[in-house]
Amino acid sequence: MTTRIRKAVFPVAGLGTRFLPATKSIPKEMLTIVDRPVLQHVVEEAAEAGIEHFIFVTGRGKAVIEDHFDIAYELDDTLQKRGKLKELNALKEQLPAAGATSFTRQQAPLGLGHAIWCARELVGDEPFAVLLPDMVTMAGPQSSGRCLAQCIEAYEKHGGNIIAVEEVAPEETHQYGIVSIGKDFGSSFEITGMVEKPPQGTAPSNCIISGRYLLGPEIFKILEKVEKGAGGEIQLTDGMKELAATQSFHGVRFDGKTYDCGSKIGFLSANVAFALANPDIAGAFKTELKKFGPF
Ligand code: G1P
């Protein structure tokens, strides 16, 4: 029997330096993919997977995130009076239930491991999900849901801790956390090792940690003490490596696509992919795209 995963942590304190000047006064998580912020796509993925409580680890200049997941009373009222019910419904659909969000701050940029540790009191003593908002996922044609839903299916099968993985070209492995592959079940496998951003040519596989995790609460005690690692930051991967000494970790090769919206190319590709998947605009957008080609 596994404990139901009810809570998800979204580390959203990052500075977004790769998107300056766009992110000078707007959090990078609020940049839009088609018609909604990057972060909303990720929160919707969590909600679809059955998450009930959304914990945001924010930082200075990120208050607009809190406003986004709240009712904007004046806006709702104006839309209602003008009969703009489609727009009003779009706002209502994205709204987590009252009391279903929590916000805490990472006071200094000490790394992803530290950001997750900042959520310890809000998570408490139960397994939880982590979704990195830079990674926006789309479900594959055969899959029952997006990446987090597939991770939860694997968790129900294997228990323990789960990490979503995907393959990248060997020359890209140094930019990510990498796992070593043990006993293989096809869509999932035992993880026998982890390393954060290995120097080029030293990665144990080309399977990257792709931004969705299900973790036991024991990780918090470890993150409290873990030493600074790659890039001089407190790394979640180093904490997980220590937890793996006493608990199982499985990797999930999910069916779907990931867009790394922490990079300009990934962000632009996500906009193209989500526009082409949106029946309201796909046709007209294809016509526009054709004007750019052939390359
Ligand atoms: C983080 C994680 C890394 C993971 C990556 C996915 O790195 O530390 O293990 O592969 O996210 O995007 P970051 O992108 O914050 O450097």
Side-chain angles (χ1 to χ4, degrees):
M1 259 306 267
T2 50
T3 311
R4 212 170 104 60
I5 307 279
R6 303 185 309 125
K7 298 182 180 179
V9 178
F10 303 84
V12 289
L15 294 175
T17 45
R18 275 187 277 180
F19 281 90
L20 284 169
T23 49
K24 187 177 171 195
S25 59
I26 297 171
K28 64 173 175 168
E29 300 80 9
M30 294 302 287
L31 298 176
T32 50
I33 299 176
V34 182
D35 59 359
R36 60 202 66 201
V38 167
L39 183 56
Q40 192 181 324
H41 285 275
V42 181
V43 166
E44 284 172 5
E45 177 185 335
E48 272 170 33
I51 295 299
E52 294 165 4
H53 197 98
F54 306 85
I55 299 168
F56 300 88
V57 181
T58 73
R60 286 175 63 75
K62 302 273 184 169
V64 68
I65 292 177
E66 202 164 333
D67 291 340
H68 184 75
F69 292 103
D70 189 13
I71 287 182
Y73 172 74
E74 300 87 338
L75 181 59
D76 284 10
D77 191 50
T78 307
L79 292 175
Q80 182 80 48
K81 283 187 180 137
R82 294 188 182 168
K84 293 200 175 283
L85 300 183
K86 193 171 169 223
E87 290 78 1
L88 187 60
N89 282 337
L91 288 183
K92 286 195 171 140
E93 272 167 23
Q94 59 120 105
L95 200 67
T101 53
S102 295
F103 299 84
T104 187
R105 281 191 179 202
Q106 184 184 23
Q107 294 164 330
L110 298 176
L112 177 61
H114 177 258
I116 301 306
W117 179 74
C118 290
R120 66 200 179 281
E121 295 292 336
L122 295 169
V123 171
D125 190 24
E126 59 183 285
F128 63 103
V130 173
L131 296 96
L132 306 190
D134 274 353
M135 296 303 233
V136 174
T137 73
M138 210 182 238
Q142 309 300 328
S143 66
S144 49
R146 285 190 240 187
C147 183
L148 192 70
Q150 294 178 46
C151 290
I152 288 181
E153 273 171 33
Y155 168 74
E156 281 159 3
K157 182 168 154 201
H158 298 296
N161 302 270
I162 303 287
I163 303 177
V165 302
E166 64 189 298
E167 290 185 5
V168 298
E171 58 274 17
E172 290 174 20
T173 49
H174 67 287
Q175 302 168 28
Y176 297 98
I178 305 293
V179 299
S180 309
I181 303 169
K183 192 172 174 197
D184 207 323
F185 306 98
S187 60
S188 61
F189 58 87
E190 271 173 23
I191 292 175
T192 52
M194 294 173 222
V195 54
E196 182 67 19
K197 302 194 176 76
Q200 235 157 1
T202 67
S205 79
N206 61 345
C207 250
I208 68 157
I209 297 175
S210 73
R212 303 290 182 267
Y213 314 74
L214 302 178
L215 299 170
E218 297 78 11
I219 192 76
F220 293 122
K221 279 265 169 309
I222 295 173
L223 289 175
E224 200 173 308
K225 286 188 263 134
V226 85
E227 304 274 327
K228 284 181 182 168
E233 296 190 337
I234 297 170
Q235 295 291 351
L236 179 60
T237 304
D238 294 339
M240 295 192 300
K241 207 167 140 183
E242 205 175 315
L243 185 58
T246 53
Q247 292 189 8
S248 77
F249 270 79
H250 285 85
V252 175
R253 298 184 181 98
F254 61 97
D255 176 16
K257 266 214 66 95
T258 308
Y259 299 94
D260 185 350
C261 293
S263 80
K264 285 178 188 149
I265 298 295
F267 175 72
L268 294 171
S269 305
N271 265 290
V272 173
F274 278 83
L276 292 176
N278 181 331
D280 290 347
I281 57 170
F285 186 53
K286 262 184 209 159
T287 309
E288 287 303 311
L289 280 182
K290 279 184 194 145
K291 294 181 189 167
F292 290 92
F295 294 103

